[in-house]
Amino acid sequence: MAIWVLSIRSPWHEPREYYLPTGKVTLGRKPDNDIVIADESASRLHAELEPDAASGTLTIRDLGSTNGTYVNRERLTGPLPLNIDDQIRIGQHTLTVGRREHGEAKSGPVQLPGTKPLTRDLVLEAVDQHAVVLYEVAMRLNTIIDLDTALKDVSDLARTAMGADRCEVIPSNRFEQLGDLGFSASLARQAIEQRAVVFIPDLAAEMDTVYGPSSMLLNLRSVLCVPGVAADEVVALTYAYRTSPTSRPFDQQDIQLAVAVSHQAALTIQRSLLLEKAQRLEQLAMNDSLTGLHNRRHFLELADKEFQRARRYNRPLAAMMLDIDRFKRVNDTYGKTVGDQVLRGVADRCRESLREANLLARYGGDEFIVLLLECDLPTAQRVATRLHRRMAIGPIETDAGPLSIDISTGCAALVEDCANLQSLIALADAALYLSKKARPEPG
């Protein structure tokens, strides 16, 4: 005799199955319901199911719930006969209708091992069938800044929703570590290389065929492996397994859920990679590639804002120009590579000696510039003295050996007749010229 079965899933609980007896079956949040839906969106007495043994039908009614009962994404407005594979949604709980006879599935896909190509239609079907779980997945992926933390959160959610012993979503930068996952690396590689869902409901039964004994050593019973593809690249992998001999095998709904989760994770990873690339390009546009300091263009943008602020609020501001003494001789004697090492060494010592609030940039060639916030001329000159002492503390290590390096500096402060930033920089440059003229190069 066939009997109606409900398979209930939510992001918060492992899948559950209920065999429906003849007669009315109530669903709702109250503990005395026949089927308790522990969901804040469920009413205390939410809906009613009525299996009829004589006609073999199953009917559902909404019992005046606040947030509604949905069947196949349409809100229930009256009694509705249900069919196999219909989906009922109450809050964040999805109930799938099935029918069993003599302990066997009368409908649904046959549980065969093997692979299934990850097609667009498969992804769309998976997303369509698991909107509730995907909502929670998207919330985590889009609100947690750290990608690894977000993927761990999503892995835990998917593990619970599938009732798996283990589930993990891993990004492509960990594919080299497949052997360390506590999972069959050969199955994972098969999913990645073939861009296909690898699904084995009972691994023990397949051990003598194509999968070899290594997976048995991991005590795996039922396994599922799904690649996540974005922009025609495999950027993620979701794997799950069960180990207990008495646990139910993964089914079609588990496959769909894993496909949906892997797809959402792949899109998030792709977006994260694009953001990282954009940030790197932005850094290249703002920073000097040799020293890592602000480049001239970015410095002028930032410095002009500080200049305008200092003028508006009558705050002290100073600029310092500095360059490396006899730098041309370093390049001519030791070559450009050593010259670059000297530039990096000077930049590092300047960075170490200045407050983070001050703006330091490579202005061009061997010239550097500093905008000293909240500094008058005497203070700027003390900073310059500190930089001279920092350069004299010891030689800079280069491929040509340690080289002693001297610098020249020129400082200027914002005064009434400084019309703009360029005027302030010109005053500092003039002071640098006078400083170098007062210290003629030897021989």
Side-chain angles (χ1 to χ4, degrees):
M1 177 180 175
I3 188 169
W4 290 100
V5 182
L6 279 186
S7 174
I8 303 179
R9 292 173 179 261
S10 82
W12 319 117
H13 305 287
E14 293 188 4
R16 296 169 289 159
E17 281 193 343
Y18 288 89
Y19 290 80
L20 302 180
T22 301
K24 294 181 179 180
V25 177
T26 60
L27 302 91
R29 201 172 69 247
K30 281 200 314 180
D32 58 354
N33 281 288
D34 298 306
I35 298 177
V36 178
I37 306 296
D39 191 308
E40 62 182 12
S41 296
S43 296
R44 292 172 61 80
L45 186 61
H46 194 100
E48 178 182 83
L49 291 165
E50 186 174 2
D52 188 303
S55 62
T57 59
L58 176 64
T59 304
I60 185 170
R61 297 177 182 84
D62 184 84
L63 299 179
S65 65
T66 302
N67 295 308
T69 303
Y70 292 81
V71 177
N72 300 330
R73 294 173 296 283
E74 291 188 7
R75 185 161 184 161
L76 198 61
T77 58
L80 181 70
L82 294 171
N83 298 305
I84 293 171
D85 292 334
D86 279 350
Q87 281 199 346
I88 305 163
R89 183 176 68 78
I90 298 175
Q92 290 189 306
H93 284 66
T94 302
L95 298 73
T96 303
V97 178
R99 195 149 167 85
R100 299 279 174 84
E101 187 170 13
H102 306 304
E104 298 295 331
K106 285 189 65 177
S107 63
V110 179
Q111 302 291 323
L112 294 177
T115 61
K116 179 181 292 189
L118 190 68
T119 63
R120 179 175 178 271
D121 288 340
L122 179 61
V123 172
L124 290 174
E125 180 185 17
V127 170
D128 182 60
Q129 293 296 317
H130 292 279
V132 171
V133 174
L134 277 186
Y135 172 79
E136 293 298 326
V137 168
M139 286 287 288
R140 283 157 175 74
L141 291 176
N142 292 324
T143 57
I144 299 176
I145 295 175
D146 180 69
L147 182 61
D148 290 337
T149 302
L151 292 178
K152 183 180 183 304
D153 238 24
V154 169
S155 299
D156 291 342
L157 187 149
R159 177 184 57 77
T160 299
M162 287 193 288
D165 293 321
R166 176 75 182 271
C167 178
E168 188 170 5
V169 183
I170 61 173
S172 56
N173 61 8
R174 291 181 55 197
F175 285 177
E176 295 298 322
Q177 305 165 17
L178 292 177
D180 303 327
L181 297 177
F183 181 76
S184 171
S186 61
L187 295 179
R189 291 192 185 96
Q190 182 182 1
I192 294 168
E193 291 168 3
Q194 297 183 9
R195 298 191 181 191
V197 177
V198 176
F199 167 53
I200 308 172
D202 190 350
L203 192 61
E206 303 299 318
M207 210 50 61
D208 295 330
T209 56
V210 294
Y211 300 108
S214 61
S215 297
M216 183 63 83
L217 296 176
L218 298 170
N219 296 317
L220 306 183
R221 190 230 168 165
S222 186
V223 299
L224 181 57
C225 206
V226 181
V229 178
D232 205 35
E233 294 289 335
V234 178
V235 298
L237 180 75
T238 300
Y239 72 88
Y241 61 75
R242 296 192 177 103
T243 56
S244 171
T246 60
S247 62
R248 70 173 181 84
F250 289 124
D251 58 21
Q252 181 65 19
Q253 288 193 57
D254 295 315
I255 294 175
Q256 289 178 340
L257 179 57
V259 168
V261 168
S262 207
H263 175 68
Q264 187 68 48
L267 295 179
T268 301
I269 291 169
Q270 181 196 32
R271 185 173 68 248
S272 176
L273 294 173
L274 290 174
L275 285 173
E276 287 178 7
K277 183 178 180 180
Q279 288 168 353
R280 288 195 299 270
L281 291 174
E282 185 178 9
Q283 287 297 317
L284 288 173
M286 295 189 302
N287 293 349
D288 173 58
S289 59
L290 178 65
T291 63
L293 301 179
H294 295 310
N295 60 27
R296 179 172 179 153
R297 181 185 63 81
H298 189 51
F299 169 83
L300 292 175
E301 289 177 0
L302 297 176
D304 190 60
K305 293 176 183 177
E306 294 298 336
F307 180 89
Q308 299 300 333
R309 185 189 67 83
R311 287 295 298 268
R312 184 180 304 114
Y313 298 108
N314 195 28
R315 303 302 304 169
L317 185 69
M320 180 197 306
M321 294 288 297
L322 68 92
D323 69 6
I324 301 171
D325 293 343
R326 298 174 291 280
F327 182 70
K328 184 177 183 302
R329 185 178 299 174
V330 172
N331 268 341
D332 292 344
T333 303
Y334 303 107
K336 187 176 184 303
T337 298
V338 171
D340 287 348
Q341 292 168 351
V342 169
L343 287 169
R344 280 194 292 267
V346 170
D348 290 342
R349 294 186 181 191
C350 289
R351 190 186 288 112
E352 293 163 2
S353 302
L354 294 167
R355 289 186 303 144
E356 191 173 337
N358 294 321
L359 299 179
L360 169 64
R362 183 181 177 195
Y363 204 59
D366 65 325
E367 281 191 325
F368 298 83
I369 188 168
V370 186
L371 193 72
L372 299 160
L373 311 185
E374 301 292 331
C375 285
D376 55 16
L377 184 58
T379 304
Q381 290 169 337
R382 286 195 294 271
V383 173
T385 300
R386 188 166 71 239
L387 283 177
H388 282 280
R389 289 173 179 167
R390 182 66 183 88
M391 297 300 164
I393 203 170
I396 292 174
E397 294 296 331
T398 72
D399 290 348
L403 297 179
S404 296
I405 298 298
D406 293 324
I407 61 170
S408 296
T409 58
C411 300
L414 177 60
V415 292
E416 187 65 32
D417 58 354
C418 260
N420 50 44
L421 175 66
Q422 290 299 334
S423 299
L424 178 61
I425 293 174
L427 289 174
D429 196 43
L432 172 64
Y433 173 78
L434 293 175
S435 172
K436 292 184 77 68
K437 189 174 180 180
R439 299 169 55 212
E441 293 190 11

